[in-house]
Amino acid sequence: MRCLGIRFWMLQKRMLKKPSYLMIMCLLPVLVIAMRNISSAHSKMLSIAMGCSENADDLVYETMDRMTEKDGILSFQICSVEEARQKVYEGEADAAWIFPDDLAYRIREIAKQGELKPVVSIIWREKTVSLELTKEILSAALYPEIGRASCRE
């Protein structure tokens, strides 16, 4: 055991003479603190504005509430249709989801006809892969309601 201790000390003594090793050892706590601050920061990757008019049905508001309650890389903002479009055009949001006033009726029509039609309008600032994946998140939010409506029909 004592031999291992002496070997370890000799190795450290040799490394302490190298300036690059000392510099890395001094930067290590700084890097750890920086990584801790970055991971605890409230940063979102994409910002999505969800727009609807004031006389939208309850399903629209339920869907919006479910989306804003989720914690993840997406930041959702609830606003009017014009505000959502304006946020995309000004660069405050990466995309806008415009919900129709009669979302529940349109979902029932999809269940009756059996063919999928777009019910939510999407406005993109620029088309990227990550924004394409947000369509899947929107579909996942609407799919349970489509399933319920198709079971009723």
Side-chain angles (χ1 to χ4, degrees), residues 58-73:
D58 292 335
L59 182 60
V60 173
Y61 293 112
E62 289 172 13
T63 305
M64 288 180 165
D65 289 340
R66 266 187 280 139
M67 298 307 288
T68 54
E69 288 173 358
K70 291 182 180 179
D71 191 30
I73 62 170

Side-chain angles (χ1 to χ4, degrees), residues 27-42:
L27 285 178
L28 198 60
V30 174
L31 291 174
V32 168
I33 292 170
M35 292 299 286
R36 186 176 292 170
N37 288 341
I38 289 172
S39 67
S40 67
H42 190 273

Side-chain angles (χ1 to χ4, degrees), residues 84 100 145:
E145 197 60 38

